[in-house]
Amino acid sequence: METIKRQGIAVNQLGYRGMDAKIAVIRGEGGNFRIVDASSGSKVWEGEAGPLEWDEASGETVSRGDFTSFRQSGTYRIESGSGESSYPFVIADSVYEEAHRAMLKAFYFFRCGMELEERCAGPWTHGPCHLTPAIVYGDEEKRVDAYGGWHDAGDYGKYVGPGAKAVADLLLAEELYPQAFARPLGIPESGGAMPDVLQECRYELEWMLRMQDGETGGAYHKLTTLRFPPGDTMPEDDTADLYVSPVSATATGCFAAVMAMAARRYRPYDEVFAASCLSAAERAWAWLEAHPDYPGFKNPPTIATGEYGDAQDADERYWAAAELYRTTGEARYHAAIEPLANAAETSGLYELGWANMSGYGTIAYLFAEREKAPELEARLKEGLLRKADELAAVCAKDGYGISLQPEQYIWGSNMLVMNHAMLLLLADRISGGTHYEQHALRHVHYLFGTNTVGMSYVTGYGAAPILFPHHRPSEGDGVEAPIPGLVSGGPNRGLQDDYAREHLAGKAPAASFADVMESYSTNEVAIYWNSPAVFALSRFV
């Protein structure tokens, strides 16, 4: 395994736009620091770092070197008075464009059911996979031909709830920041009138449509084999029997919501597809109404793949009602929103993770150009801005400028980091200001190297990117470099795999990370970790 030396000064290894705030984190010292030209080593700017402060999450004493006022385009390093240095970085207004495109194109590399050809995939090709009809668990005579869609993560499972989150993030990004998606991605569908981001999401949405039970309108929870294959198995070599797990309220609520959302976003490009999405959403809503107290999903006894269990479904129902109301304006959906919001409130109305989708319901209602209940609208807006203020307050105290408390370095902590960036940007949109934008940008800086590990958590980007993600195609394809644009799960204080238990015990929460394939609880990748990162970068490209 290649070892990358951690530098004494952490920076965004991609770089910074000229007018943006720019802050380096200097470990263990304050005092003067300087910017030097990366080629010549000559000093071009000098500043004074802030005071030394203890950072609980990283377990380090750090100071911040603010060089916001330096805006000259070029490639540089930061050096401290004691000779510590940063990795090189660029100052340029286009600094995020290629990483943004790669993180979006990563969804093409997650595609199931088709050959990835060299003309689009470069060296990271593989054959068509998982094309056999799936057995409906508990009804061995029934088959579902649910080919296509995206592999969920480092494995080859496909899950409706996490897929819905990923699509929702991308559709929101396309709605709010269309300029970020103007350039073609180089996917098979590139070149048409429809933006490539919508083409890519459609590939997942069409799979979801196949996951709707034709008899009841409910959505099957997931499609997987009974257990995961070995870590170096390529998709086309994963030939075990496929199973769809039973219908769940969680999946059906997510399905109804994202299909209603899709009906809006695709209508200008394909009215027939948009209408099919809305019809599917309405059938799923009818299932939800007919099953108000459905038990939470648990893995069937012989299925050992990712569960994505959820004990309560008020958040998914709330999201579904809000999206259907935003799309249709029908009073029956509006009437359902407030009771569902009240039911979901105990677990929070501003979360954007697969385990709590309520934040998407709140955003859908606040963004809806429909008649609203004034008290509910005011309550939701006030609550979202209060949540953003709470995140901003954590950012101000955190040594690396992000909004995670030490206990929030969990499995997929980088999803939380980027979800928080997304929420901060949405709060700006709701409030009509830019108060939270710089806090969101610090989360982007963290992802690309301004972190205690000193690595870029995105494959292929930065001077010290992760090299060994827990991702079966990257492990088994014989190509030295991993597929580019994949977002690692990041530090996890829970020590939830054997490698982490052996090598990371005793480390600070933000340092509990290992760039090895074996550490799936810190270094796996997932579609719903990439998607909020794409959203956040869309604001800055």
Side-chain angles (χ1 to χ4, degrees):
M1 184 183 91
E2 182 176 342
T3 301
I4 295 177
K5 181 181 182 295
R6 190 184 79 150
Q7 301 295 88
I9 302 175
V11 295
N12 179 340
Q13 296 168 21
L14 288 189
Y16 306 85
R17 300 186 309 173
M19 298 297 291
D20 286 339
K22 309 173 195 71
I23 297 176
V25 178
I26 306 171
R27 303 182 179 97
E29 63 177 290
N32 289 342
F33 70 98
R34 58 188 175 270
I35 301 174
V36 300
D37 183 276
S39 297
S40 67
S42 59
K43 182 177 73 174
V44 296
W45 190 90
E46 190 169 19
E48 180 80 14
L52 282 170
E53 296 179 351
W54 172 252
D55 179 48
E56 183 181 357
S58 66
E60 296 176 324
T61 301
V62 300
S63 65
R64 298 180 185 180
D66 189 332
F67 57 107
T68 300
S69 63
F70 184 75
R71 298 171 180 169
Q72 180 65 43
S73 297
T75 304
Y76 306 100
R77 294 179 184 268
I78 303 287
E79 292 181 352
S80 70
S82 66
E84 292 287 352
S85 179
S86 74
Y87 284 114
F89 60 89
V90 170
I91 294 180
D93 287 342
S94 60
V95 72
Y96 299 125
E97 288 185 7
E98 292 309 315
H100 176 265
R101 283 166 47 78
M103 291 193 299
L104 178 57
K105 188 166 180 177
F107 290 89
Y108 164 75
F109 288 106
F110 278 112
R111 286 192 190 188
C112 179
M114 65 174 287
E115 180 181 2
L116 301 192
E117 301 179 60
E118 186 177 357
R119 68 185 181 91
C120 294
W124 299 284
T125 59
H126 69 69
C129 58
H130 306 106
L131 291 171
T132 57
I135 302 163
V136 176
Y137 193 93
D139 186 353
E140 302 294 310
E141 301 302 314
K142 188 174 181 180
R143 298 289 188 275
V144 174
D145 196 10
Y147 58 91
W150 297 324
H151 298 139
D152 173 68
D155 57 79
Y156 301 129
K158 297 185 289 187
Y159 306 82
V160 170
K165 175 198 163 32
V167 170
D169 292 343
L170 298 181
L171 294 185
L172 276 171
E174 186 274 334
E175 176 185 353
L176 299 182
Y177 311 116
Q179 76 288 345
F181 302 97
R183 291 175 61 192
L185 282 178
I187 59 176
E189 299 84 358
S190 292
M194 186 185 295
D196 280 1
V197 61
L198 296 185
Q199 295 281 16
E200 192 56 61
C201 287
R202 182 169 178 162
Y203 194 81
E204 175 78 349
L205 288 163
E206 288 176 341
W207 167 74
M208 287 187 189
L209 290 169
R210 299 179 193 113
M211 288 289 283
Q212 186 173 35
D213 181 19
E215 297 174 11
T216 68
Y220 295 112
H221 191 80
K222 64 176 186 173
L223 190 159
T224 69
T225 51
L226 292 179
R227 58 192 54 82
F228 295 132
D232 60 353
T233 304
M234 289 297 288
E236 61 268 37
D237 298 327
D238 182 30
T239 57
D241 287 339
L242 299 171
Y243 286 82
V244 290
S245 292
V247 166
S248 74
T250 296
T252 305
C254 290
F255 177 94
V258 80
M259 288 298 165
M261 193 180 194
R264 292 194 308 274
R265 300 311 308 154
Y266 287 86
R267 194 173 290 145
Y269 303 98
D270 189 334
E271 290 187 5
V272 173
F273 179 66
S276 70
C277 290
L278 182 56
S279 176
E282 291 171 332
R283 292 190 64 232
W285 179 258
W287 185 96
L288 292 169
E289 288 192 307
H291 300 84
D293 300 305
Y294 209 69
F297 179 82
K298 291 288 184 184
N299 261 345
T302 59
I303 293 183
T305 53
E307 183 174 79
Y308 291 105
D310 201 343
Q312 64 90 31
D313 54 43
D315 53 307
E316 290 88 1
R317 292 172 186 263
Y318 167 51
W319 181 27
E323 293 288 4
L324 279 160
Y325 179 59
R326 188 181 179 197
T327 298
T328 69
E330 291 186 22
R332 62 188 177 121
Y333 299 123
H334 196 202
I337 291 172
E338 187 162 11
L340 288 170
N342 292 339
E345 191 162 20
T346 55
S347 55
L349 292 176
Y350 313 101
E351 302 301 319
L352 299 170
W354 65 264
N356 186 346
M357 299 286 201
S358 58
Y360 297 100
T362 296
I363 292 301
Y365 190 67
L366 292 176
F367 281 3
E369 295 179 350
R370 305 286 185 183
E371 182 180 355
K372 302 186 185 76
E375 290 186 3
L376 177 60
E377 180 182 19
R379 174 181 140 208
L380 292 175
K381 181 177 179 180
E382 179 185 349
L384 188 144
L385 296 180
R386 184 170 58 249
K387 176 70 171 180
D389 285 337
E390 291 169 359
L391 295 178
V394 177
C395 293
K397 295 180 180 179
D398 182 78
Y400 288 83
I402 65 165
S403 59
L404 292 199
Q405 302 279 10
E407 65 272 13
Q408 290 180 298
Y409 287 88
I410 59 173
W411 196 324
S413 64
N414 280 341
M415 179 190 72
L416 289 184
V417 171
M418 301 320 295
N419 282 352
H420 289 181
M422 186 174 168
L423 188 142
L424 288 161
L425 292 170
L426 289 167
D428 269 342
R429 181 66 62 136
I430 293 295
S431 66
T434 57
H435 176 67
Y436 303 107
E437 181 178 293
Q438 291 306 318
H439 293 298
L441 188 56
R442 294 290 296 276
H443 293 68
V444 173
H445 296 335
Y446 170 92
L447 191 70
F448 288 102
T450 310
N451 55 63
T452 188
V453 175
M455 299 186 73
S456 167
Y457 288 121
V458 182
T459 55
Y461 287 85
I466 61 166
L467 298 173
F468 306 101
H470 183 85
H471 181 238
R472 282 167 175 78
S474 291
E475 180 72 7
D477 61 10
V479 181
E480 183 177 0
I483 288 169
L486 302 175
V487 176
S488 169
N492 175 11
R493 65 198 289 267
L495 305 179
Q496 289 169 283
D497 61 66
D498 289 342
Y499 188 95
R501 282 186 284 272
E502 181 178 351
H503 296 278
L504 302 181
K507 286 187 175 289
S512 298
F513 174 80
D515 181 27
V516 295
M517 169 72 176
E518 295 81 1
S519 187
Y520 51 84
S521 71
T522 73
N523 204 28
E524 191 168 11
V525 298
I527 54 174
Y528 53 93
W529 300 343
N530 261 67
S531 57
V534 170
F535 180 99
L537 257 70
S538 298
R539 171 62 186 87
F540 302 109
V541 297

